[in-house]
Amino acid sequence: MSADMEQWTFPPKFDDSYFPDAKSRYWFPHRETMPSGDRDAAILKRLQEVCAYAYENAPFYKRKWDEAGFHPSQLKSLEDFEERLPVIRKSDLRESQSAFPPFGDYLCVPDREVFHIHGTSGTTGRPTAFAVSQNDWRAIANAHARIMWGMGMRPGDTICIAAIFSLYMGSWGALAGAERLGAKAFPFGAGAAGMSSRCAQWLDILKPQGFYGTPTYAIHLAETAIKDGRDPRKFGLRYMYFSGEPGASIPAVREKIEDYFNAKVFDCGSMGEMTPWMNVGGSEQTPGMLCWQDIVYTEVCDPNTHVRVPYGSRGTPVYTHLERTSQPMIRLESGDLTVWENSPTPCGRTYPHLPMGIIGRIDDMITIRGENVYPSEIEAALCQLDGYGGDHRIIITRDGTMDEMLISVELDGNRWSQGEEQHKAFHAVVSSHLHKMLGLRSVVEIVAPNTHPRTDFKAKRVIDDRAAFNEMQRRHEEASA
């Protein structure tokens, strides 16, 4: 173990009886506040250990690196790591699991040591299985407890986990962290009919301090509670942490949730494959997301060259596990978009940070008449408007070589009930505001509250559907005639 870094070994070994001083802002004071250059030196040594371990135990990495002309003995600097190791992609993982089922030839532990199996849904193709050893499960729990401590949660707090308990790593990771933190874990779940009303009822009874879910579900839950005659601000929530979709780092969305619940909102979450997925997550004093570099080493890279971009620039996160041994991910390309900074943080942690969180997936980008737009930017713009009913849909079609976009926006119940003049006025406001914020014109449709189905999981607001666009365009033209 390093004399300077608390509980820093590979393979990782954690003291599950350890807790910091109750008044401490930090779980591991030295690891979190040490000079970044000193931490980078320790990370380089850890990367050397991780790469040697993977080369010896995973034919997947040996094959990839041999093809790239890389051997772990050649890793002498972080620049070597960035320049000599190829990135891996989700498609590589699927191909490996197809050829070597069920866990792929990047599984580095004997099959008998697999303790948990999670994975992707497989809705767009072959699902990817996540095999987690018992030792890795403890590492995940310790990492998440540490980050939750940084958000302000403490032993004895009650934490409601309102997310689907299935293959989804979000809910299980949140539960593992809450248990290691010594909190009273309340795994309420999600997904069944009528569950939101029951969740509001339980929150009203238990008055928990913490809540985990998606931003979309939190807003839906608040709306449901109000409809049922309950005041979400009286639930007593203090900390609400979210993953699964952009939103919690969007100021207007964050402020809306904070106003609904009178609670502090935190953004976190990288990828299920990268669990402990809270490796990018905010702290009680620092908004956006910190890159907890001594848990998962994060590079923000040019998506084409996979070379690290300067601080202050946009790029895609590329992640490497430092505390996983069962299916270690080494330079896994996320496909997400973010901006990273390395300025001093309000919490005093010396990590790089993502002030805007994860902006969205690069392949979600919509090109409209030469302008690039991300769905999260549209959501941010709409959430700034008084009268926004809380949900919308983005309809995309292609006219020749150009994308066209229609945005169907709900008006809140009060203004909708005031009649057509209010509908027209809000239409004008939405059209003008989107043009100002996005720099392009789009077709806008104003619809009644609750037109668009709510979800207790990740919101799916983008529809690439020519028929739907044509029908909405027809309605728009008839209304304008």
Side-chain angles (χ1 to χ4, degrees):
M1 178 186 294
S2 167
D4 295 326
M5 294 181 69
E6 304 96 328
Q7 299 189 35
W8 178 252
T9 62
F10 187 82
K13 296 179 182 179
F14 292 99
D15 177 1
D16 284 348
S17 67
Y18 166 81
F19 285 93
D21 184 277
K23 296 180 180 179
S24 175
R25 179 180 293 183
Y26 311 109
W27 184 272
F28 290 145
H30 185 67
R31 279 174 67 167
E32 295 171 27
T33 63
M34 66 194 298
S36 58
D38 292 350
R39 185 188 300 111
D40 284 348
I43 288 173
L44 173 61
K45 292 180 181 178
R46 174 59 57 84
L47 289 172
Q48 292 168 338
E49 293 176 309
V50 169
C51 288
Y53 171 82
Y55 192 83
E56 180 179 347
N57 291 283
F60 173 85
Y61 286 112
K62 185 178 188 304
R63 182 172 63 253
K64 289 279 185 185
W65 295 345
D66 285 349
E67 290 172 357
F70 169 76
H71 187 273
S73 63
Q74 299 169 333
L75 181 54
K76 306 296 184 183
S77 67
L78 293 179
E79 288 74 22
D80 286 342
F81 182 73
E82 171 191 309
E83 294 170 3
R84 305 196 67 165
L85 273 77
V87 298
I88 59 173
R89 299 177 174 85
K90 290 184 178 183
S91 58
D92 295 322
L93 306 181
R94 289 193 296 269
E95 289 171 7
S96 173
Q97 293 195 353
S98 179
F100 303 95
F103 302 125
D105 62 342
Y106 55 96
L107 180 69
C108 291
V109 298
D111 184 85
R112 65 180 179 276
E113 292 186 16
V114 174
F115 177 64
H116 266 244
I117 300 172
H118 297 273
T120 63
S121 63
T123 54
T124 58
R126 179 187 174 89
T128 302
F130 306 154
V132 186
S133 68
Q134 189 164 19
N135 193 54
D136 275 7
W137 195 254
R138 298 314 307 155
I140 291 164
N142 274 272
H144 283 181
R146 176 182 165 195
I147 296 163
M148 291 163 68
W149 180 282
M151 293 175 179
M153 287 171 270
R154 292 293 183 267
D157 285 348
T158 299
I159 300 174
C160 175
I161 301 165
I164 295 171
F165 279 89
S166 60
L167 291 167
Y168 180 54
M169 279 299 301
S171 49
W172 292 98
L175 177 62
E179 291 174 338
R180 171 61 183 91
L181 184 65
K184 293 188 283 291
F186 178 43
F188 184 82
M195 210 161 179
S196 297
S197 288
R198 292 196 295 276
C199 185
Q201 181 182 32
W202 274 99
L203 293 175
D204 209 12
I205 294 169
L206 290 179
K207 310 294 185 189
Q209 289 76 33
F211 178 95
Y212 169 75
T214 65
T216 295
Y217 183 60
I219 292 171
H220 173 54
L221 177 62
E223 293 172 345
T224 300
I226 292 168
K227 188 184 301 182
D228 291 348
R230 304 182 191 277
D231 182 356
R233 297 173 69 88
K234 294 182 179 179
F235 293 162
L237 290 167
R238 297 172 59 195
Y239 314 103
M240 302 184 74
Y241 59 116
F242 300 107
S243 72
E245 61 185 9
S249 286
I250 297 173
V253 177
R254 181 176 66 245
E255 291 164 8
K256 185 170 188 174
I257 297 172
E258 289 177 339
D259 184 61
Y260 266 139
F261 292 95
N262 193 32
K264 181 85 173 174
V265 167
F266 301 93
D267 198 4
C268 60
S270 55
M271 308 166 67
E273 291 86 351
M274 290 314 305
T275 303
W277 49 259
M278 290 176 71
N279 65 288
V280 285
S283 73
E284 190 168 14
Q285 299 80 20
T286 303
M289 295 175 164
L290 295 166
C291 300
W292 297 71
Q293 294 288 67
D294 49 334
I295 297 173
V296 169
Y297 182 57
T298 300
E299 312 161 75
V300 176
C301 298
D302 181 291
N304 297 312
T305 65
H306 303 112
V307 172
R308 179 192 295 238
V309 299
Y311 291 116
S313 302
R314 283 191 175 196
T316 189
V318 174
Y319 300 117
T320 297
H321 278 130
L322 299 182
E323 297 183 336
R324 287 283 305 274
T325 59
S326 45
Q327 280 181 327
M329 295 291 101
I330 302 174
R331 296 209 82 206
L332 176 63
E333 180 187 48
S334 67
D336 292 329
L337 183 73
T338 192
V339 176
W340 70 340
E341 302 283 355
N342 200 29
S343 53
T345 62
C347 66
R349 292 178 177 85
T350 52
Y351 298 126
H353 53 282
L354 316 178
M356 300 169 64
I358 300 298
I359 298 170
R361 290 197 56 75
I362 291 173
D363 53 12
D364 285 345
M365 184 180 73
I366 305 162
T367 302
I368 308 293
R369 293 181 291 282
E371 296 289 337
N372 296 332
V373 180
Y374 287 89
S376 60
E377 294 174 323
I378 295 172
E379 180 178 14
L382 292 174
C383 284
Q384 294 173 351
L385 299 178
D386 290 335
Y388 173 53
D391 214 342
H392 62 279
R393 292 295 181 271
I394 303 165
I395 315 299
I396 305 299
T397 190
R398 287 169 179 78
D399 182 10
T401 60
M402 303 293 283
D403 284 350
E404 295 292 344
M405 177 169 65
L406 186 145
I407 305 176
S408 174
V409 184
E410 290 184 9
L411 181 59
D412 69 28
N414 181 49
R415 295 195 184 190
W416 182 264
S417 66
Q418 295 177 32
E420 188 174 349
E421 289 303 314
Q422 278 291 331
H423 305 174
K424 290 181 178 179
F426 188 62
H427 180 279
V429 168
V430 172
S431 298
S432 174
H433 187 64
L434 289 176
H435 182 233
K436 177 182 177 182
M437 298 300 293
L438 305 179
L440 55 88
R441 295 191 183 278
S442 54
V443 178
V444 172
E445 178 183 54
I446 305 303
V447 297
N450 300 310
T451 294
H452 303 304
R454 289 342 192 229
T455 178
D456 48 14
F457 196 45
K458 303 176 186 181
K460 296 181 179 179
R461 294 193 170 106
V462 180
I463 303 169
D464 193 347
D465 190 320
R466 179 180 295 272
F469 180 89
N470 290 340
E471 173 61 21
M472 297 179 79
Q473 176 73 8
R474 182 189 62 77
R475 294 202 305 267
H476 173 72
E477 291 173 351
E478 289 176 354
S480 302

